[in-house]
Amino acid sequence: MKLAGLAMASPAAAAQILQQAAAEAMEFTQQAEATSLGSGTLDHLDLAVTEFNHAYSLKPPAAVFDAVLDYRRKVDALLKGRHTHRQERELLAFAGWMSELLAWLAHDLGDARTGLAFATDAFIHGRQAGHGQLCGWAMDAAASINLYEQRPDRARQAALKGLTEAPADHPLTVRLHAQAARAAAADGDADGFTTAFHAAEDAYRLLPPRSPRRFGMDVLPLANYALTSYPATSFIWLGQAEEARRHAEHALTTYESAPAASRSPSREAIARIDLAIAHAQLGDPDDAVALGHQALDSARVVGSVLGRAGDLTSFLTRRYPRQAAVEGLAERLTAAAAARSALSATSTGA
């Protein structure tokens, strides 16, 4: 009779079964809404991620890394607790956003292994949350980190992986195509660079009139930067110094004219280094050295800046050996790298 249920039950038994079912339905509902999260927890996490992203370009990366990692651990603990399915998706997304930021911060601190580990973590959490945009941003970080580690094939793979997840009408798609173009240039593939960069330009033309925002910040400048600074670096790698100079000058003008909230000292420094290398390739070491010093005057001399400055000093040393100005720039770079390593070790307790 229990197996047959309502089909074989008498009217009285059927009524009792339905009453029990109603009680079970109420319990199902309570279980679905059961959670150990406080009412303001998700709002607090949203505010925290927003503030961390605003602090990224303003505060020392080691200090921001420690703070974000502490929150990332808190979100991991929350994910192991009791929550609704909707809350789980939001927690997964917050975990992913924090890991995406930690990937960039680790990169700034010169630790590619940690950066790539967090980029992968961000991608996985983004996929679990059903958040394609987060997945794309994670692979944007992975592409940059791999490029600075001189692994252009992996950088291109990361960019293409991100493109499978990112919204087609979003500035992120422009960046990912530009990342693929930059990776092709680093690999010496001029045709691959041209194809991918044209795809980035096409994607840019298809962007909607209203630019999306990420944690309160306009993301369109990130697409603009990719279309200006990435080709400058790419043409340097492809040995086209005049094109590199033109794009680097454009990139620097774009960076300097950006609103204060969108300014990035480290990107401006790299644009100056690209311009310096172009001048050096064109036979103008004096301007190259001057631009190199300006780059090292940046308020945010992070790992990527030091890496590109190393490319500049290596080229100058080979092309113009025993010039006092070149030796002076190389010595300053060595001192800057040592100072940053000491500061990072002190801030992180390493």
Side-chain angles (χ1 to χ4, degrees):
M1 180 64 73
K2 287 183 179 180
L3 292 174
L6 288 174
M8 298 290 292
S10 66
Q16 185 178 5
I17 291 173
L18 289 170
Q19 288 177 353
Q20 291 175 344
E24 285 184 283
M26 185 179 298
E27 186 175 344
F28 295 155
T29 302
Q30 290 172 344
Q31 288 295 323
E33 293 182 335
T35 178
S36 59
L37 291 184
S39 60
T41 300
L42 295 176
D43 289 339
H44 175 78
L45 290 174
D46 183 66
L47 178 62
V49 173
T50 299
E51 291 181 345
F52 287 143
N53 275 271
H54 287 176
Y56 172 72
S57 294
L58 303 175
K59 296 184 178 181
V64 181
F65 184 94
D66 287 345
V68 179
L69 182 58
D70 179 59
Y71 261 79
R72 178 64 185 84
R73 289 167 175 156
K74 288 181 170 66
V75 175
D76 185 61
L78 291 173
L79 279 166
K80 294 173 181 175
R82 193 174 191 180
H83 40 66
T84 68
H85 291 303
R86 181 189 64 80
Q87 290 173 336
E88 181 181 38
R89 286 194 298 272
E90 292 193 56
L91 287 171
L92 286 166
F94 283 129
W97 284 122
M98 289 181 186
S99 286
E100 185 258 354
L101 185 54
L102 286 166
W104 284 111
L105 289 164
H107 171 56
D108 290 341
L109 291 167
D111 192 330
R113 180 175 176 272
T114 300
L116 289 171
F118 275 114
T120 298
D121 184 67
F123 182 87
I124 294 300
H125 279 78
R127 177 169 279 180
Q128 291 296 317
H131 202 312
Q133 189 185 136
L134 170 55
C135 292
W137 285 115
M139 288 299 97
D140 178 55
S144 282
I145 295 169
N146 275 305
L147 272 169
Y148 277 92
E149 287 300 298
Q150 300 181 19
R151 294 193 288 248
D153 54 333
R154 294 188 184 181
R156 194 186 306 199
Q157 290 170 12
L160 296 177
K161 187 175 180 180
L163 283 168
T164 65
E165 302 282 348
D169 60 347
H170 195 281
L172 172 60
T173 294
V174 178
R175 277 186 65 84
L176 289 167
H177 280 301
Q179 289 277 29
R182 188 166 60 154
D187 212 18
D189 181 1
D191 291 339
F193 163 77
T194 300
T195 299
F197 193 71
H198 284 167
E201 293 176 317
D202 290 342
Y204 188 85
R205 284 190 285 270
L206 295 175
L207 293 178
R210 177 174 292 184
S211 178
R213 304 185 76 81
R214 180 180 123 141
F215 303 114
M217 294 182 288
D218 185 1
V219 297
L220 184 61
L222 295 176
N224 293 332
Y225 297 159
L227 291 178
T228 53
S229 63
Y230 287 8
T233 305
S234 298
F235 282 120
I236 286 171
W237 289 336
L238 292 172
Q240 300 180 37
E242 187 56 45
E243 283 294 305
R245 182 195 61 76
R246 183 171 65 85
H247 282 280
E249 288 177 347
H250 183 201
L252 194 54
T253 300
T254 301
Y255 287 135
E256 291 176 337
S257 62
S262 300
R263 291 287 290 269
S264 173
S266 56
R267 292 191 184 102
E268 289 181 28
I270 289 173
R272 285 190 170 85
I273 293 170
D274 283 336
L275 184 56
I277 296 175
H279 276 290
Q281 290 178 333
L282 292 167
D284 187 358
D286 292 338
D287 278 354
V289 169
L291 286 161
H293 280 293
Q294 290 174 22
L296 293 176
D297 287 335
S298 170
R300 198 165 185 274
V301 180
V302 295
S304 55
V305 174
L306 293 173
R308 294 292 289 138
D311 294 340
L312 170 62
T313 56
S314 295
F315 181 83
L316 285 169
T317 300
R318 290 194 306 271
R319 181 68 68 88
Y320 308 100
R322 293 181 298 279
Q323 283 200 16
V326 172
E327 292 176 356
L329 179 63
E331 290 171 1
R332 184 179 178 191
L333 173 61
T334 300
R340 189 189 67 88
S341 296
L343 179 62
S344 297
T346 301
S347 300
T348 60

